[in-house]
Amino acid sequence: MGLLSKKDAKLITDPLADNNPITIQVLGICSALAITAQLKASIVMAISVMAVLGIGNVVISLMRNIIPSKIRIIVQLVVVAALVIIVDQVLKAFSYELSKTLSVFVGLIITNCIIMGRFEAFALGNGPWKSFLDGIGNAAGYGLILVIVGFFRELLGSGTLLGFKVLGDPIEKTGLYAIGYENNGFMLLSPMALIVVGIIIWVQRSRNKALIEDH
Amino acid sequence: MEHLELFLKSIFIDNMVFATFLGMCSYLAVSKKVSTAVGLGAAVIFVLAVTVPVNWLLDQYILQPGALKWLGEDYAAYDLSFLSFILFIATIATMVQLVEIVVEKFSPSLYNSLGIFLPLIAVNCAILGGSLFMQSREIPTIGLATVYGIGSGIGWFLAILAIAAIREKIRYSNVPPALRGLGITFIITGLMAIGFMSFGGMLTGGDDEAKKEEKTASVKEETRSNDQVALNAAETAKEELANNTNN
C-alpha cells in the first residue's frame, strides 16, 4: 500500500468486516433488502450508493465549517437529493429496464441511513480525503452484503447468475435439473432477504465472538 | 368503499415494513421497548398523514408533465418530475420541523413523548417511501392520498409494536449467542413478513373480482413483480394445507 497510509487503508477495510454498516452498525437496511432478488440489481444499487456516498462525504466534509449545526440535516438532505437525482437520471438514460426494477428504491438512497450516518459521524469531523475513503469503504461494506444476498437469492431462487443459466435449463431439463433439482421460488420472495441477512449475521458473529450482543 | 379498500391494503398487504422494507433502520433501532416503539409509531402515522397529501398536491400541480398548466398555456410543456426527490424531501424536512413547533406549542406533554423522535423521522425511509409510492402508483384523489398516508402509517405502527413486544419477551429465551440481538430480530421479521404475505389474497376474492382487478390494474402494474409470485406461493401453500388436513 504505497498510496495509502496504514490508517487510511483501515478506513476502507474496517467497514468490510468488523464494522460493516449493515450487520454491525445496522444502517441502510431499508433499501438493501427489497432489490436483492437479482444479482444485477444488487450490483447496480451498490455502485449507486458508492457514488453518492463517496462524493457526498467529500462535499459535506468541504462544507463542514460553514454549515450551521441547526440546519445541518436539511443541508445534508439537499446534497444527497441532488446527487441521487444525478444517479437516477444516469440510470434512466443508460439502463431504463433496470431503473424500472429498482423503481422507488433509487430515490430512497436519499434516506438511506448509511449516508446520513456517515455524514453525521465522519464527514462533519474529518478532512475531504479521509471522508472520501470512509465513504468508499462503507459503501463497499454495504455493497458486499448486498452482493452476497443477491448471489444466493438469484442462484437458489431462479438458478441463474446475472441472467446466465449456470445450473442448466429448468424447462429443457439440462444440467442439474436433469437429476431432479428444482428452483426454490421462495428465495425470490422478499421475506427471504431478511432471513438471509440474519444468517450472514449469525455466521459473522460465530466467527468473531467479540461482536456478540447480550440481548 | 374505494377508500376502505386502499386503507386495508396499505395496512396489511402493502405493509411498509413487511412488504417493502421501508423504515427498517428505525424499526430495528427503536424496537427494544414497547413504550418508545409506540411513541415513534404514533409520530410516523402523524407525519405520513400530513406529508403524503401535501406531496400529492405538489406532484399534481408542479411536478407532473403538464402540471404547470394552471400558470398558462406557455408552461404546459414543462416536465419537472426529475425534481421530485428534492422537493419531496424538502417538504418532509420542513413539515417535520413545523409539526415539531406546533406540537411543542399546543401540547407540551405530547411533545415530551414524541419530541425526541421527530428529527429521526425526517430521515426515515418510510416517510419518503410513502410519498414516492404515492407518486409511482398514481393515486387519483387527495382523499385517497390521505387515506394511503394514514394507512401506511398504521401499518408501520403495527409492525414496530409487534416486534417490540416480541423483543421484550425474547429476552427470557435461550437464543444461540451469535444470533442474539440483531440476528434473531432479522429472522423474526422475516417470519412475520411471510405471515403478512397471507393477507395478499384478502382483496382479490369475491364475485366482483374482475371489476376490482380492472380498477387496481394500474396500481398493480407498478408494484413489485414479486406480487404474482407471492400470490402463487400463497395459493400452493393453501392447497398443501388443505391436502394435509384431508389426510
Side-chain angles (χ1 to χ4, degrees):
Chain A
M1 287 270 174
L3 191 62
L4 303 168
S5 69
K6 241 186 187 155
K7 241 186 186 168
D8 285 352
K10 219 170 147 45
L11 285 176
I12 289 197
T13 53
D14 244 19
L16 284 179
D18 287 349
N19 199 14
N20 189 288
I22 291 188
T23 60
I24 311 295
Q25 304 173 33
V26 208
L27 294 175
I29 295 153
C30 329
S31 54
L33 298 173
I35 45 97
T36 48
Q38 293 168 355
L39 187 56
K40 196 174 171 196
S42 319
I43 293 175
V44 170
M45 191 70 178
I47 294 172
S48 314
V49 168
M50 194 177 278
V52 173
L53 190 52
I55 300 170
N57 247 359
V58 172
V59 173
I60 292 293
S61 169
L62 286 173
M63 301 201 303
R64 68 186 188 279
N65 294 324
I66 52 168
I67 303 176
S69 74
K70 273 205 172 145
I71 57 156
R72 64 176 196 282
I73 303 252
I74 296 183
V75 174
Q76 289 164 1
L77 283 174
V78 170
V79 170
V80 194
L83 289 169
V84 169
I85 290 177
I86 296 171
V87 168
D88 186 46
Q89 298 294 322
V90 169
L91 269 184
K92 270 191 187 142
F94 289 102
S95 148
Y96 188 72
E97 282 302 307
L98 207 60
S99 83
K100 272 277 163 242
T101 327
L102 293 173
S103 70
V104 300
F105 291 97
V106 177
L108 288 169
I109 297 177
I110 298 172
T111 46
N112 192 320
C113 331
I114 291 185
I115 296 187
M116 298 304 283
R118 291 332 289 175
F119 283 3
E120 283 282 302
F122 202 91
L124 280 177
N126 288 284
W129 174 239
K130 272 190 169 163
S131 303
F132 178 71
L133 292 178
D134 180 78
I136 296 291
N138 274 285
Y142 167 87
L144 182 70
I145 301 288
L146 236 66
V147 168
I148 295 176
V149 177
F151 175 83
F152 283 112
R153 284 182 72 192
E154 190 176 343
L155 182 67
L156 300 177
S158 18
T160 57
L161 283 178
L162 294 172
F164 294 110
K165 300 188 172 91
V166 287
L167 297 183
D169 197 314
I171 298 164
E172 289 167 16
K173 299 277 177 214
T174 56
L176 264 185
Y177 297 98
I179 53 172
Y181 176 81
E182 289 284 343
N183 283 331
N184 184 359
F186 212 58
M187 291 301 286
L188 291 178
L189 302 182
S190 36
M192 284 313 289
L194 283 163
I195 294 178
V196 172
V197 175
I199 293 170
I200 293 175
I201 293 174
W202 193 358
V203 172
Q204 189 187 17
R205 294 191 182 183
S206 311
R207 289 162 55 99
N208 187 349
K209 301 278 184 217
L211 298 174
I212 292 174
E213 305 171 49
D214 22 303
H215 293 288
Chain B
M1 194 56 216
E2 211 182 343
H3 289 76
L4 185 70
E5 197 180 307
L6 185 67
F7 183 67
L8 291 175
K9 194 168 185 293
S10 53
I11 294 182
F12 294 109
I13 302 174
D14 289 331
N15 187 290
M16 279 280 178
V17 173
F18 297 129
T20 48
F21 301 119
L22 297 182
M24 284 297 284
C25 311
S26 24
Y27 166 87
L28 290 168
V30 195
S31 62
K32 280 185 181 140
K33 273 175 66 187
V34 171
S35 52
T36 46
V38 169
L40 184 66
V44 166
I45 298 180
F46 198 63
V47 174
L48 265 175
V50 177
T51 55
V52 174
V54 170
N55 281 337
W56 185 86
L57 288 175
L58 282 177
D59 188 42
Q60 289 291 312
Y61 294 108
I62 295 179
L63 293 173
Q64 274 182 7
L68 286 172
K69 225 174 179 174
W70 55 274
L71 274 178
E73 284 301 319
D74 297 348
Y75 297 91
Y78 286 97
D79 175 5
L80 296 180
S81 51
F82 69 95
L83 281 177
S84 48
F85 295 155
I86 210 159
L87 209 54
F88 284 176
I89 199 71
T91 320
I92 289 166
T94 36
M95 276 331 250
V96 168
Q97 206 92 59
L98 208 67
V99 165
E100 201 177 339
I101 295 167
V102 170
V103 170
E104 189 180 11
K105 175 93 177 145
F106 290 105
S107 167
S109 62
L110 184 66
Y111 179 77
N112 283 336
S113 51
L114 286 189
I116 41 169
F117 298 118
L118 284 173
L120 253 181
I121 282 180
V123 290
N124 187 327
C125 340
I127 311 289
L128 182 63
S131 293
L132 289 177
F133 273 125
M134 175 273 296
Q135 190 192 31
S136 74
R137 289 175 192 178
E138 289 166 13
I139 289 181
T141 66
I142 191 165
L144 281 173
T146 318
V147 166
Y148 179 72
I150 297 173
S152 344
I154 294 178
W156 201 88
F157 176 86
L158 274 183
I160 196 168
L161 188 65
I163 195 74
I166 292 176
R167 284 181 84 172
E168 274 195 2
K169 290 287 175 204
I170 212 160
R171 215 166 295 159
Y172 307 109
S173 320
N174 189 12
V175 178
L179 264 181
R180 269 179 208 155
L182 191 59
I184 196 72
T185 314
F186 264 104
I187 290 179
I188 294 172
T189 310
L191 295 176
M192 281 159 79
I194 293 172
F196 263 70
M197 265 161 48
S198 55
F199 287 115
M202 197 165 70
L203 292 181
T204 46
D207 291 328
D208 47 357
E209 183 177 3
K211 247 196 257 165
K212 268 182 198 161
E213 283 291 311
E214 230 171 58
K215 218 190 282 171
T216 51
S218 60
V219 178
K220 272 230 173 103
E221 235 170 38
E222 294 293 335
T223 50
R224 309 160 309 285
S225 56
N226 281 353
D227 258 19
Q228 207 45 49
V229 189
L231 280 178
N232 290 343
E235 267 167 30
T236 42
K238 256 184 239 158
E239 275 168 24
E240 267 174 30
L241 202 70
N243 288 340
N244 287 344
T245 44
N246 286 343
N247 295 340

